[in-house]
Amino acid sequence: GSMPKVIPSDVIPSFAYGKKSRPSTPIASVMGNHYGLEQEELLNFQYKKLSDSPSGKRVVKMTAASTRQIEHARSARQLIDNPPPPKEHFKMAKFKNVPGKIAAEQLGRSPMRSASLPNL
């Protein structure tokens, strides 16, 4: 014959089957407001620590995105305050030394005025 099957509860009498249930709620601590008092004490400690700090400044931890945004704003502001020198308009090398045949005064307009601007 075959050997009789041994189950855990035969070997260990305190062995239990099934899922463990969650621990019971500590009703005395809940009803006695133990957790509320503990949190209030922690908050008071944090407020006292904050008020005892020598400077009123706070250190704000920046995210990578906010750091990039601030750097971009600074560089844009730098470009507004100190604009780069204007680029020379493109002209083919063989035409660089060729003077114009008609002066702007001969056309009846100032050199700073656009040719397409109507005379009003």
Side-chain angles (χ1 to χ4, degrees), residues 12-33:
I12 305 167
S14 62
F15 187 87
Y17 295 94
K19 291 182 177 179
K20 280 188 173 182
S21 61
R22 67 185 186 91
S24 63
T25 304
I27 297 296
S29 296
V30 172
M31 296 302 291
N33 196 26

Side-chain angles (χ1 to χ4, degrees), residues 67-88:
T67 306
R68 284 193 304 267
Q69 185 178 13
I70 289 171
E71 285 186 25
H72 175 52
R74 282 184 181 150
S75 64
R77 183 66 181 182
Q78 191 73 4
L79 281 175
I80 291 171
D81 292 344
N82 304 322
K87 288 185 176 180
E88 186 179 331

Side-chain angles (χ1 to χ4, degrees), residues 73-112:
R74 282 184 181 150
S75 64
R77 183 66 181 182
Q78 191 73 4
L79 281 175
I80 291 171
D81 292 344
N82 304 322
K87 288 185 176 180
E88 186 179 331
H89 293 292
F90 174 77
K91 194 183 270 192
M92 291 177 69
K94 64 181 181 180
F95 296 114
K96 283 193 178 182
N97 297 326
V98 177
K101 292 183 179 180
I102 301 176
E105 292 79 26
Q106 290 176 335
L107 292 174
R109 64 173 196 265
S110 68
M112 298 303 286

Side-chain angles (χ1 to χ4, degrees), residues 44-57:
N44 286 335
F45 173 74
Q46 287 177 340
Y47 286 140
K48 186 174 182 335
K49 190 171 113 180
L50 210 126
S51 67
D52 290 347
S53 63
S55 68
K57 291 184 180 180

